[in-house]
Amino acid sequence: MKYSFMSFSTPELNLDQSLNIARLYGYDGFEPRTSAGHKHGIEIGSTKPVLREARLKSEDSGIKICCIATSCCFANPSNNEGNIELAKRSIDLASEVNSPAIRIFGGNIPEGVSREKSFDLIVEAMMKLSNYALERGVTICIETHDSWCDPKAVADIIQSVNHPAIAVNWDIMHPALTASYTIEKAFEILKPWIKHVHVHDGLRTDKGLEFKTISQGKVDHKTAIRLLKDSEYNGFISGEWIGWEHYEIHLPRELKILKSFE
């Protein structure tokens, strides 16, 4: 199994430092989140020489830039076209640093817009982007998140588009905590299209989502790792820990726990 972490764990570190941390703790990949003020330097506005250097640093370190985590979302008609253009630039960015995928969201359905309308907008956007991504060797992974936490809803989008460059980023927490799916049921629905995975544990409190150490929250990571391994999943399992503990605390600990489930 291949493990990575998102730059939310190391937002203050530059790319060299994040790659070194990944190697030190035994990770296989690094997932930069764009447009979030992180210091890795892998951004849509970065110059080609900067991105070329980032690719070479990744290759030299043996730490793969495994996915470009974007904020693109497509459920809102007021900004759908702008997000299509942003996604194209993100695909170009992924291609420049030899990343196999970008993460996108379906997005929250705005007030006054029907789910059917938002569904159609997402499908149409993916159809516009699919060949563009395929030609650049990049897969667009739709995350199980926001108004699309239900795995069946995401599977319906993927099946409607029916293109090899459109796949799933299975964030295992949101179907479990928001849509009340078991890990087994979510995996059964999404299995044919899973190309990237986000892991993190937590529980819902009066104050919202509270991160917990893996196996101390409400998400069954042990079953998720077993199902992925048994299915010979060859993508990355990426830890997404936002505004949590210092990376020196959680990065080595969470990886050790994940590997213990293999």
Side-chain angles (χ1 to χ4, degrees):
M1 307 299 284
K2 297 183 294 187
Y3 298 96
S4 61
F5 63 88
M6 289 183 68
S7 56
F8 278 115
S9 288
T10 56
E12 74 282 9
L13 301 187
N14 64 31
L15 181 61
D16 287 307
Q17 293 168 322
S18 288
L19 295 176
N20 287 338
I21 287 296
R23 187 167 51 196
L24 174 66
Y25 293 142
Y27 284 85
D28 308 287
F30 174 66
E31 181 175 352
R33 174 64 153 86
T34 58
S35 304
H38 299 174
K39 304 302 183 183
H40 50 70
I42 299 174
E43 300 285 355
I44 286 174
S46 299
T47 64
K48 283 185 178 293
V50 167
L51 297 178
R52 188 180 307 115
E53 184 178 12
R55 185 186 72 245
L56 292 174
K57 286 178 177 180
S58 167
E59 292 169 354
D60 290 344
S61 70
I63 302 299
K64 181 73 171 175
I65 299 172
C66 61
C67 181
I68 301 297
T70 80
S71 58
C72 298
C73 51
F74 303 91
N76 191 333
S78 70
N79 59 19
N80 182 273
E81 288 299 323
N83 275 279
I84 290 172
E85 291 307 309
L86 184 61
K88 286 182 177 179
R89 296 185 68 188
S90 299
I91 291 165
D92 292 338
L93 173 62
S95 180
E96 289 284 348
V97 297
N98 197 29
S99 177
I102 68 167
R103 183 282 305 274
I104 61 99
F105 299 110
N108 287 312
I109 300 172
E111 185 176 353
V113 177
S114 69
R115 172 167 287 273
E116 291 74 18
K117 174 62 174 177
S118 286
F119 178 91
D120 289 344
L121 285 169
I122 298 168
V123 169
E124 290 167 9
M126 294 305 101
M127 287 180 169
K128 290 178 181 178
L129 291 166
S130 56
N131 284 335
Y132 191 89
L134 185 66
E135 290 166 2
R136 288 154 181 79
V138 175
T139 299
I140 301 171
C141 295
I142 306 172
E143 182 167 317
T144 48
H145 198 180
D146 43 61
S147 294
W148 311 91
C149 290
D150 188 323
K152 183 65 169 59
V154 176
D156 287 345
I157 293 170
I158 303 297
Q159 289 175 302
S160 294
V161 180
N162 190 27
H163 193 283
I166 308 300
V168 173
N169 172 33
W170 181 30
D171 185 310
I172 71 173
M173 175 188 285
H174 298 301
L177 294 190
T178 303
S180 301
Y181 273 75
T182 64
I183 292 293
E184 291 93 339
K185 185 61 176 177
F187 180 78
E188 177 188 345
I189 293 169
L190 298 172
K191 178 181 176 181
W193 307 287
I194 297 172
K195 297 297 183 182
H196 195 60
V197 175
H198 280 170
V199 293
H200 35 199
D201 209 347
L203 48 82
R204 299 286 183 188
T205 70
D206 293 340
K207 297 179 181 179
L209 175 65
E210 180 180 340
F211 282 116
K212 293 289 185 180
T213 297
I214 288 174
S215 76
Q216 294 183 10
K218 295 293 186 180
V219 185
D220 184 2
H221 286 72
K222 185 174 184 178
T223 295
I225 297 299
R226 175 180 56 81
L227 290 168
L228 290 165
K229 186 172 184 179
D230 289 349
S231 70
E232 299 183 345
Y233 171 71
N234 63 2
F236 279 80
I237 299 168
S238 196
E240 183 182 29
W241 298 292
I242 304 171
W244 199 27
E245 309 159 322
H246 193 273
Y247 67 82
E248 291 177 338
I249 299 172
H250 71 261
L251 283 181
R253 182 192 65 220
E254 302 298 280
L255 180 60
K256 182 178 180 180
I257 297 170
L258 286 166
K259 287 187 172 181
S260 74
F261 295 151
E262 293 184 16

Short mmCIF file of all heavy atoms in Angstrom, two decimals, residues 5-25 27 29-32 38-42 61 63 247 251:
data_model
loop_
_atom_site.label_atom_id
_atom_site.label_comp_id
_atom_site.label_asym_id
_atom_site.label_seq_id
_atom_site.Cartn_x
_atom_site.Cartn_y
_atom_site.Cartn_z
N PHE A 5 0.48 12.24 2.41
CA PHE A 5 -0.25 13.18 3.24
C PHE A 5 -0.43 14.48 2.48
O PHE A 5 0.37 14.83 1.62
CB PHE A 5 0.45 13.43 4.59
CG PHE A 5 1.82 14.05 4.48
CD1 PHE A 5 1.99 15.42 4.44
CD2 PHE A 5 2.95 13.24 4.44
CE1 PHE A 5 3.25 15.98 4.35
CE2 PHE A 5 4.23 13.79 4.35
CZ PHE A 5 4.37 15.17 4.30
N MET A 6 -1.51 15.19 2.80
CA MET A 6 -1.79 16.47 2.17
C MET A 6 -1.00 17.57 2.85
O MET A 6 -0.63 17.47 4.02
CB MET A 6 -3.28 16.77 2.23
CG MET A 6 -4.12 15.89 1.31
SD MET A 6 -5.86 16.35 1.34
CE MET A 6 -5.80 17.97 0.56
N SER A 7 -0.79 18.66 2.13
CA SER A 7 0.02 19.76 2.65
C SER A 7 -0.66 20.50 3.80
O SER A 7 -0.05 21.38 4.41
CB SER A 7 0.38 20.74 1.53
OG SER A 7 -0.76 21.23 0.87
N PHE A 8 -1.90 20.14 4.15
CA PHE A 8 -2.50 20.69 5.35
C PHE A 8 -1.72 20.30 6.60
O PHE A 8 -1.81 20.97 7.62
CB PHE A 8 -3.96 20.22 5.49
CG PHE A 8 -4.93 21.02 4.68
CD1 PHE A 8 -5.62 20.44 3.63
CD2 PHE A 8 -5.17 22.36 4.97
CE1 PHE A 8 -6.52 21.17 2.88
CE2 PHE A 8 -6.07 23.10 4.22
CZ PHE A 8 -6.74 22.51 3.18
N SER A 9 -0.97 19.19 6.53
CA SER A 9 -0.14 18.80 7.68
C SER A 9 1.09 19.67 7.81
O SER A 9 1.61 19.87 8.92
CB SER A 9 0.28 17.33 7.55
OG SER A 9 -0.79 16.46 7.78
N THR A 10 1.59 20.18 6.68
CA THR A 10 2.85 20.95 6.68
C THR A 10 2.69 22.25 5.90
O THR A 10 3.49 22.55 5.01
CB THR A 10 3.98 20.11 6.07
OG1 THR A 10 3.59 19.70 4.74
CG2 THR A 10 4.29 18.89 6.91
N PRO A 11 1.67 23.05 6.19
CA PRO A 11 1.41 24.24 5.37
C PRO A 11 2.55 25.26 5.40
O PRO A 11 2.71 26.03 4.46
CB PRO A 11 0.13 24.82 5.97
CG PRO A 11 0.11 24.33 7.38
CD PRO A 11 0.72 22.96 7.32
N GLU A 12 3.32 25.25 6.47
CA GLU A 12 4.38 26.24 6.63
C GLU A 12 5.72 25.79 6.04
O GLU A 12 6.68 26.56 6.02
CB GLU A 12 4.57 26.58 8.12
CG GLU A 12 5.27 25.50 8.93
CD GLU A 12 4.41 24.30 9.31
OE1 GLU A 12 3.26 24.19 8.82
OE2 GLU A 12 4.88 23.48 10.11
N LEU A 13 5.78 24.55 5.54
CA LEU A 13 7.02 24.01 5.01
C LEU A 13 7.08 24.18 3.50
O LEU A 13 6.07 24.06 2.80
CB LEU A 13 7.17 22.53 5.36
CG LEU A 13 7.18 22.16 6.84
CD1 LEU A 13 7.52 20.68 7.00
CD2 LEU A 13 8.14 23.02 7.63
N ASN A 14 8.29 24.43 2.97
CA ASN A 14 8.46 24.46 1.52
C ASN A 14 8.49 23.04 0.98
O ASN A 14 8.45 22.06 1.75
CB ASN A 14 9.68 25.27 1.12
CG ASN A 14 11.00 24.68 1.62
OD1 ASN A 14 11.13 23.46 1.76
ND2 ASN A 14 11.98 25.53 1.87
N LEU A 15 8.60 22.90 -0.33
CA LEU A 15 8.51 21.57 -0.93
C LEU A 15 9.66 20.68 -0.47
O LEU A 15 9.44 19.50 -0.14
CB LEU A 15 8.51 21.68 -2.46
CG LEU A 15 8.40 20.35 -3.21
CD1 LEU A 15 7.11 19.62 -2.86
CD2 LEU A 15 8.49 20.57 -4.72
N ASP A 16 10.88 21.21 -0.45
CA ASP A 16 12.02 20.40 0.00
C ASP A 16 11.76 19.85 1.40
O ASP A 16 12.01 18.66 1.66
CB ASP A 16 13.29 21.26 0.03
CG ASP A 16 13.82 21.57 -1.36
OD1 ASP A 16 14.01 20.63 -2.14
OD2 ASP A 16 14.03 22.75 -1.65
N GLN A 17 11.28 20.70 2.27
CA GLN A 17 11.05 20.27 3.65
C GLN A 17 9.94 19.23 3.75
O GLN A 17 10.06 18.25 4.49
CB GLN A 17 10.71 21.50 4.51
CG GLN A 17 11.87 22.46 4.68
CD GLN A 17 11.45 23.79 5.28
OE1 GLN A 17 10.37 24.32 4.98
NE2 GLN A 17 12.28 24.35 6.14
N SER A 18 8.86 19.42 3.00
CA SER A 18 7.76 18.45 3.03
C SER A 18 8.19 17.10 2.47
O SER A 18 7.84 16.04 3.01
CB SER A 18 6.56 18.98 2.26
OG SER A 18 5.93 20.04 2.96
N LEU A 19 8.96 17.11 1.38
CA LEU A 19 9.46 15.86 0.82
C LEU A 19 10.40 15.16 1.80
O LEU A 19 10.36 13.93 1.94
CB LEU A 19 10.17 16.12 -0.51
CG LEU A 19 9.30 16.66 -1.66
CD1 LEU A 19 10.17 16.97 -2.87
CD2 LEU A 19 8.19 15.67 -2.03
N ASN A 20 11.23 15.93 2.47
CA ASN A 20 12.13 15.35 3.46
C ASN A 20 11.37 14.74 4.63
O ASN A 20 11.73 13.66 5.13
CB ASN A 20 13.12 16.41 3.98
CG ASN A 20 14.18 16.77 2.97
OD1 ASN A 20 14.46 16.00 2.04
ND2 ASN A 20 14.76 17.94 3.11
N ILE A 21 10.31 15.42 5.06
CA ILE A 21 9.48 14.90 6.15
C ILE A 21 8.80 13.60 5.71
O ILE A 21 8.73 12.62 6.47
CB ILE A 21 8.44 15.95 6.58
CG1 ILE A 21 9.11 17.09 7.34
CG2 ILE A 21 7.32 15.33 7.42
CD1 ILE A 21 9.75 16.69 8.65
N ALA A 22 8.29 13.59 4.49
CA ALA A 22 7.65 12.37 3.97
C ALA A 22 8.62 11.20 3.98
O ALA A 22 8.28 10.09 4.42
CB ALA A 22 7.12 12.62 2.56
N ARG A 23 9.81 11.44 3.51
CA ARG A 23 10.83 10.38 3.46
C ARG A 23 11.24 9.94 4.87
O ARG A 23 11.38 8.75 5.14
CB ARG A 23 12.03 10.87 2.68
CG ARG A 23 13.10 9.81 2.40
CD ARG A 23 14.08 10.30 1.36
NE ARG A 23 14.59 11.63 1.72
CZ ARG A 23 15.21 12.42 0.88
NH1 ARG A 23 15.41 12.06 -0.38
NH2 ARG A 23 15.66 13.61 1.28
N LEU A 24 11.39 10.91 5.78
CA LEU A 24 11.80 10.61 7.15
C LEU A 24 10.81 9.69 7.84
O LEU A 24 11.20 8.74 8.54
CB LEU A 24 11.92 11.92 7.93
CG LEU A 24 12.20 11.81 9.44
CD1 LEU A 24 13.58 11.20 9.68
CD2 LEU A 24 12.08 13.17 10.11
N TYR A 25 9.51 9.94 7.63
CA TYR A 25 8.49 9.18 8.35
C TYR A 25 8.02 7.94 7.60
O TYR A 25 7.23 7.17 8.13
CB TYR A 25 7.31 10.08 8.68
CG TYR A 25 7.62 11.18 9.67
CD1 TYR A 25 7.07 12.44 9.52
CD2 TYR A 25 8.47 10.95 10.75
CE1 TYR A 25 7.35 13.46 10.43
CE2 TYR A 25 8.76 11.96 11.65
CZ TYR A 25 8.21 13.22 11.49
OH TYR A 25 8.49 14.21 12.39
N TYR A 27 6.57 7.87 4.34
CA TYR A 27 5.49 8.04 3.36
C TYR A 27 6.03 7.84 1.95
O TYR A 27 7.24 7.96 1.70
CB TYR A 27 4.87 9.43 3.51
CG TYR A 27 3.96 9.57 4.70
CD1 TYR A 27 4.47 9.89 5.96
CD2 TYR A 27 2.59 9.39 4.58
CE1 TYR A 27 3.64 10.03 7.06
CE2 TYR A 27 1.75 9.53 5.68
CZ TYR A 27 2.28 9.84 6.91
OH TYR A 27 1.45 9.96 8.00
N GLY A 29 4.26 9.41 -0.78
CA GLY A 29 3.81 10.51 -1.62
C GLY A 29 3.48 11.75 -0.83
O GLY A 29 3.39 11.73 0.41
N PHE A 30 3.28 12.82 -1.58
CA PHE A 30 2.92 14.12 -1.01
C PHE A 30 1.83 14.71 -1.89
O PHE A 30 1.92 14.67 -3.11
CB PHE A 30 4.14 15.05 -0.99
CG PHE A 30 3.85 16.46 -0.56
CD1 PHE A 30 3.43 16.73 0.73
CD2 PHE A 30 4.01 17.52 -1.45
CE1 PHE A 30 3.16 18.04 1.13
CE2 PHE A 30 3.76 18.83 -1.06
CZ PHE A 30 3.33 19.09 0.24
N GLU A 31 0.77 15.25 -1.26
CA GLU A 31 -0.38 15.79 -1.99
C GLU A 31 -0.52 17.28 -1.71
O GLU A 31 -1.01 17.68 -0.66
CB GLU A 31 -1.66 15.06 -1.59
CG GLU A 31 -2.89 15.54 -2.34
CD GLU A 31 -4.13 14.73 -2.01
OE1 GLU A 31 -4.01 13.70 -1.31
OE2 GLU A 31 -5.22 15.13 -2.45
N PRO A 32 -0.05 18.14 -2.62
CA PRO A 32 -0.18 19.58 -2.39
C PRO A 32 -1.61 20.07 -2.58
O PRO A 32 -2.26 19.74 -3.57
CB PRO A 32 0.76 20.19 -3.43
CG PRO A 32 0.88 19.16 -4.50
CD PRO A 32 0.69 17.83 -3.86
N HIS A 38 -0.44 27.56 1.26
CA HIS A 38 0.62 26.68 1.71
C HIS A 38 1.93 27.03 0.99
O HIS A 38 1.91 27.62 -0.09
CB HIS A 38 0.25 25.21 1.47
CG HIS A 38 -0.98 24.79 2.21
ND1 HIS A 38 -1.58 23.55 2.06
CD2 HIS A 38 -1.74 25.44 3.14
CE1 HIS A 38 -2.64 23.46 2.84
NE2 HIS A 38 -2.76 24.60 3.51
N LYS A 39 3.04 26.63 1.57
CA LYS A 39 4.34 27.11 1.11
C LYS A 39 5.07 26.16 0.15
O LYS A 39 6.24 26.38 -0.16
CB LYS A 39 5.25 27.37 2.33
CG LYS A 39 4.67 28.34 3.35
CD LYS A 39 4.37 29.70 2.74
CE LYS A 39 3.87 30.67 3.80
NZ LYS A 39 3.50 31.99 3.23
N HIS A 40 4.39 25.15 -0.35
CA HIS A 40 5.05 24.17 -1.22
C HIS A 40 5.40 24.72 -2.59
O HIS A 40 6.27 24.19 -3.29
CB HIS A 40 4.19 22.91 -1.37
CG HIS A 40 2.76 23.20 -1.75
ND1 HIS A 40 2.40 23.68 -2.98
CD2 HIS A 40 1.61 23.07 -1.03
CE1 HIS A 40 1.09 23.83 -3.02
NE2 HIS A 40 0.58 23.47 -1.85
N GLY A 41 4.72 25.76 -3.04
CA GLY A 41 5.06 26.40 -4.31
C GLY A 41 4.48 25.76 -5.55
O GLY A 41 4.76 26.22 -6.67
N ILE A 42 3.67 24.71 -5.40
CA ILE A 42 3.05 24.05 -6.56
C ILE A 42 1.66 24.65 -6.74
O ILE A 42 0.68 24.20 -6.13
CB ILE A 42 2.99 22.53 -6.35
CG1 ILE A 42 4.40 21.96 -6.20
CG2 ILE A 42 2.28 21.85 -7.52
CD1 ILE A 42 4.44 20.49 -5.84
N SER A 61 13.78 12.62 -4.80
CA SER A 61 13.51 12.21 -3.41
C SER A 61 12.84 10.84 -3.32
O SER A 61 12.85 10.21 -2.26
CB SER A 61 12.61 13.25 -2.74
OG SER A 61 11.30 13.22 -3.28
N ILE A 63 9.68 10.60 -3.55
CA ILE A 63 8.36 10.90 -2.99
C ILE A 63 7.48 11.44 -4.13
O ILE A 63 7.74 12.50 -4.67
CB ILE A 63 8.44 11.93 -1.85
CG1 ILE A 63 9.37 11.42 -0.74
CG2 ILE A 63 7.05 12.24 -1.31
CD1 ILE A 63 8.92 10.14 -0.08
N TYR A 247 2.75 18.40 12.79
CA TYR A 247 3.04 17.23 11.95
C TYR A 247 3.96 16.23 12.63
O TYR A 247 3.88 15.01 12.38
CB TYR A 247 3.61 17.65 10.60
CG TYR A 247 4.99 18.28 10.64
CD1 TYR A 247 6.12 17.50 10.69
CD2 TYR A 247 5.15 19.67 10.60
CE1 TYR A 247 7.40 18.06 10.71
CE2 TYR A 247 6.40 20.25 10.63
CZ TYR A 247 7.52 19.45 10.69
OH TYR A 247 8.77 20.00 10.71
N LEU A 251 1.90 12.78 11.95
CA LEU A 251 2.32 12.08 10.73
C LEU A 251 2.93 10.71 11.02
O LEU A 251 2.52 9.71 10.40
CB LEU A 251 3.28 12.94 9.91
CG LEU A 251 2.64 14.08 9.10
CD1 LEU A 251 3.70 14.83 8.30
CD2 LEU A 251 1.54 13.56 8.18
#
